Amino acid sequence: MRRFLLCAAVALLSPFVSLAQMGAPNSARSSGGSSVITTPIPSAPPKRELRGVWIATVENIDWPSRRDLTPEQQRKEYIRLLDAEKRAGINAVFVQVRPASDAFYKSDIEPWSKWLSGKQGKDPGWDPLPFLISEAHQRGMEFHAWFNPYRASMDSVTSRLAPNHPYRQHPEWFLRYSGKLLYNPGLPEVRSYITRVIQDVVRRYDIDGVHFDDYFYPYPEPGKTIQDAQAFAQYNPDQLSLPDWRRRNVNQLVQQVHDSIESTKRWVKFGISPFGVWMNQASHPEGSATNAFQGYSGLYADAREWLRQGWVDYVLPQLYWSSNLRVAQYPVLLEWWSRNRFERHLYIGQGAYRMLESTRSDTTWRNPRELPKQVRLNRSYPTDVSGSVFFSAKSVVANPLHTTDSLRLNLFNYPALLPTMPWKDAVPPRAPERLMLTRTGSVVTLAWRSGPAAADGDSARSFVIYRFARGEQPTPDNPARILAIQPRLTRMEHAYVDTTARPGTEYAYYLTALDRLHNESRPLNVSTLGSAGGPVLAKADVEKPAATAPAVTPPVTTAPNPGRPAVTRPATTAGTTKVKVVTKKKKRGFFGRLFGR
């Protein structure tokens, strides 16, 4: 339903011209006098970038496509969806698991969702969530469980609610607004209950993140009033104004959920996708040079405060407007959020669905260059913007105006590691062990074992395979040299088959490990030198870790000097050339230093 409310939000935009429109064609000015980039700055593709999609389950927007599908049909549909997203370059999914106080997972707290089984409370015959998570992880995708915290029903007809819906036990927790049933954010019992629901999922399922969308207090509608006067009188000891009191209620929930996640699983991320405009500069000196609806005053959602307090690990503003929309220009808002992220990750919500609409209110979306331009603008802020998330999954699959082709063949042509979060974990994993290479004709096979756990107890969750031809400078920052990012799953022994190696060309392969939060180990390397005479077997030797490594730094294996090919000594046996890689003890080179960050 996010797409429909965003359309309504566009209607709330002021008809007046944005202040940013008064700038020069290729540069505008925003609050604080910062320069706004309106023409993308050419740059190499980033090695680390989150590339996500929202998978909406409410109203069967993305998955499942209908309420009457069997579990097997639901599984097949999800697999097809993930495979299509994988081909487009997506590496993270934000799946709506609680659209309206209901569950897409087995819960003792809330009823099964009607969008899963056809009727609220009806058992669908399986628990989808482990499957949804596992299939994402098998494709190297992060899985963020998307919750709508306050929405209780898409209508206010309570007779349709399941017997175990929270309304049946606590009708005093709820508000009716514009034909919907909502939790009352002003009640402490509501905040505790919502936190309990989320903590239950964090505790029982292997999710990577908890995600909220933009629905806090409801989007205002003419003639409608939020009936929370009783809670305002009862739970306002500091005598705050009504707007400040509502913002504090939301802030308390955000902080409470953050603290609950941290105490349950420290590696699970928490992020929110607020409305794209925090405040206009005309309303607040720290606001953006826009003239639009404001999340701070309209939804009582103070996203800037969540970032300032460190209550979220990432913010994902929904910037579903074009570069030319006069009242809320994309470049102006992008620059504003880049200055107000307070050292937390900033991902941008991209409106892929806008190209499937008539777009009478924002005709720039008829231009197939608009969405790729926005992604390039994001990359013009390489230290501030860490990726994009597209609404919604089916819009990406639909390939509107061939923009998904632009992602697949150009912008997302090379794989990307996910960004690290050093405030959560900065300890790299131990390097893999026993790296072996065999080559027969054009086929190169790498085999290795997982390394031991690092000092913080983390083990490798995936592996990165790099390949460099003779004469190429080994560098870890060029994603064009990444052959694959391979999930570990549950095995200790791992293998990768490179079928794209050219016969007669010598290669050096580098292998690293990634932990759960995507910290990267030092590399091992092995090369095909000496393979001209036929099949080759090569082994990477590594030094033993120092016996007196500092307690704060995990012991690691030392990689061969990456600055030049390893020295090889062939020894002929029956039909196979064996090559042992001899590693000289040297100081860590450029490649090793970068990987060891």
Side-chain angles (χ1 to χ4, degrees):
M1 290 301 293
R2 153 197 315 256
R3 62 179 290 183
F4 305 122
L5 278 188
L6 258 295
C7 294
V10 169
L12 293 171
L13 298 174
S14 166
F16 298 108
V17 177
S18 167
L19 297 176
Q21 281 291 94
M22 300 172 65
N26 291 326
S27 178
R29 305 298 292 180
S30 183
S31 61
S34 300
S35 179
V36 176
I37 299 169
T38 57
T39 300
I41 299 172
S43 62
K47 175 183 170 179
R48 291 186 181 270
E49 184 176 58
L50 184 136
R51 304 164 179 174
V53 291
W54 278 289
I55 299 179
T57 60
V58 65
E59 301 286 3
N60 300 105
I61 290 176
D62 290 312
W63 179 87
S65 62
R66 302 197 316 268
R67 305 180 192 185
D68 60 348
L69 298 181
T70 66
E72 183 60 25
Q73 289 172 325
Q74 291 170 351
R75 285 189 284 267
K76 288 181 178 179
E77 192 173 79
Y78 184 74
I79 287 172
R80 287 195 299 269
L81 182 61
L82 284 197
D83 285 344
E85 303 297 348
K86 178 72 173 178
R87 287 192 295 271
I90 297 303
N91 60 17
V93 291
F94 296 72
V95 181
Q96 195 173 29
V97 302
R98 184 187 184 257
S101 195
D102 52 2
F104 271 72
Y105 55 91
K106 185 175 178 56
S107 173
D108 295 329
I109 305 174
E110 295 191 309
W112 287 106
S113 176
K114 67 180 180 182
W115 293 297
L116 178 68
S117 63
K119 181 181 179 181
Q120 189 178 86
K122 180 183 176 182
D123 191 333
W126 69 305
D127 184 353
L129 192 49
F131 175 82
L132 302 181
I133 296 168
S134 175
E135 290 297 318
H137 286 170
Q138 288 178 35
R139 290 162 179 78
M141 297 175 175
E142 274 198 337
F143 187 97
H144 293 244
W146 166 14
F147 298 80
N148 186 288
Y150 293 126
R151 186 166 58 206
S153 177
M154 293 297 290
D155 58 50
S156 58
V157 182
T158 57
S159 61
R160 298 174 184 169
L161 300 176
N164 62 331
H165 190 282
Y167 179 83
R168 302 296 190 191
Q169 289 78 42
H170 298 284
E172 72 278 6
W173 286 0
F174 297 89
L175 303 169
R176 284 179 170 84
Y177 186 87
S178 189
K180 295 181 177 61
L181 195 66
L182 308 173
Y183 282 92
N184 185 344
L187 301 180
E189 306 96 309
V190 164
R191 293 193 290 272
S192 297
Y193 173 77
I194 294 171
T195 303
R196 178 187 166 211
V197 168
I198 294 165
Q199 189 175 40
D200 174 61
V201 173
V202 172
R203 179 176 53 82
R204 293 193 294 123
Y205 295 97
D206 190 27
I207 63 174
D208 300 297
V210 167
H211 179 72
F212 285 177
D213 54 22
D214 55 316
Y215 298 121
F216 294 97
Y217 277 85
Y219 278 85
E221 295 191 18
K224 304 293 183 182
T225 303
I226 301 172
Q227 301 296 331
D228 58 354
Q230 183 177 343
F232 178 57
Q234 185 175 357
Y235 297 107
N236 187 18
D238 297 329
Q239 300 299 304
L240 298 175
S241 68
L242 181 61
D244 286 342
W245 176 76
R246 287 175 175 169
R247 272 186 289 274
R248 188 182 69 175
N249 294 334
V250 175
N251 289 349
Q252 286 177 329
L253 176 67
V254 171
Q255 182 181 11
Q256 196 167 320
V257 169
H258 167 269
D259 293 348
S260 171
I261 295 169
E262 282 284 304
S263 65
T264 305
K265 290 181 179 176
R266 62 176 176 81
W267 59 87
V268 173
K269 304 171 181 179
F270 179 39
I272 299 178
S273 180
F275 186 77
V277 176
W278 175 72
M279 283 284 276
N280 298 316
Q281 190 175 1
S283 302
H284 194 289
E286 297 293 339
S288 53
T290 52
N291 288 302
F293 177 78
Q294 304 167 118
Y296 177 90
S297 57
L299 304 174
Y300 308 100
D302 191 355
R304 191 170 182 271
E305 180 69 4
W306 309 335
L307 289 162
R308 194 178 69 84
Q309 295 288 351
W311 293 334
V312 293
D313 297 302
Y314 65 85
V315 68
L316 176 46
Q318 298 172 31
L319 304 190
Y320 294 169
W321 306 296
S322 76
S323 301
N324 298 316
L325 185 67
R326 295 165 66 94
V327 294
Q329 290 179 305
Y330 182 90
V332 171
L333 286 165
L334 176 66
E335 189 275 336
W336 185 90
W337 283 101
S338 74
R339 286 189 293 104
N340 287 276
R341 66 182 184 88
F342 292 94
E343 303 304 317
R344 290 297 188 254
H345 281 184
L346 170 61
Y347 314 132
I348 303 300
Q350 314 276 171
Y353 74 94
R354 299 300 306 276
M355 293 171 289
L356 298 171
E357 297 179 333
S358 62
T359 64
R360 287 188 296 270
S361 64
D362 194 356
T363 57
T364 301
W365 285 112
R366 299 173 187 172
N367 186 340
R369 296 186 178 90
E370 177 62 18
L371 191 67
K373 174 185 175 180
Q374 291 187 1
V375 174
R376 292 187 179 97
L377 280 170
N378 296 348
R379 291 177 176 177
S380 297
Y381 297 86
T383 61
D384 295 311
V385 181
S386 298
S388 301
V389 182
F390 301 93
F391 189 85
S392 67
K394 73 176 184 182
S395 300
V396 174
V397 173
N399 194 18
L401 304 181
H402 297 284
T403 53
T404 304
D405 290 338
S406 295
L407 299 179
R408 178 175 57 87
L409 299 173
N410 186 349
L411 293 166
F412 295 172
N413 185 33
Y414 300 121
L417 279 62
L418 286 149
T420 59
M421 290 185 170
W423 59 91
K424 295 183 77 69
D425 178 13
V427 179
R430 294 283 299 273
E433 297 180 337
R434 304 181 191 178
L435 174 61
M436 300 286 291
L437 177 150
T438 58
R439 182 172 191 174
T440 304
S442 61
V443 177
V444 176
T445 301
L446 301 175
W448 66 92
R449 282 182 59 86
S450 299
D456 62 353
D458 288 352
S459 299
R461 292 279 299 205
S462 56
F463 303 93
V464 188
I465 301 106
Y466 301 82
R467 187 183 72 186
F468 301 92
R470 180 188 287 273
E472 292 177 342
Q473 174 64 40
T475 169
D477 291 326
N478 185 355
R481 298 295 174 256
I482 297 177
L483 281 184
I485 303 170
Q486 182 164 303
R488 172 181 173 175
L489 302 179
T490 59
R491 301 184 300 273
M492 288 297 293
E493 304 284 348
H494 312 276
Y496 176 78
V497 179
D498 178 11
T499 59
T500 64
R502 296 188 299 272
T505 301
E506 304 289 1
Y507 296 102
Y509 292 85
Y510 285 78
L511 177 70
T512 63
L514 301 175
D515 64 17
R516 177 121 203 185
L517 283 163
H518 312 290
N519 296 296
E520 188 168 27
S521 75
R522 295 179 182 178
L524 295 180
N525 84 341
V526 67
S527 76
T528 62
L529 284 175
S531 64
V536 64
L537 170 67
K539 175 182 177 182
D541 286 348
V542 295
E543 299 176 25
K544 295 180 179 180
T548 58
V552 294
T553 304
V556 294
T557 50
T558 303
N561 177 19
R564 57 183 179 182
V567 178
T568 59
R569 294 179 182 149
T572 304
T573 59
T576 301
T577 301
K578 293 185 177 180
V579 180
K580 182 177 181 181
V581 179
V582 179
T583 303
K584 294 184 179 181
K585 295 183 179 180
K586 292 188 176 182
K587 295 181 179 179
R588 290 169 59 203
F590 169 76
F591 193 73
R593 288 197 303 273
L594 283 176
F595 269 111
R597 288 184 300 184

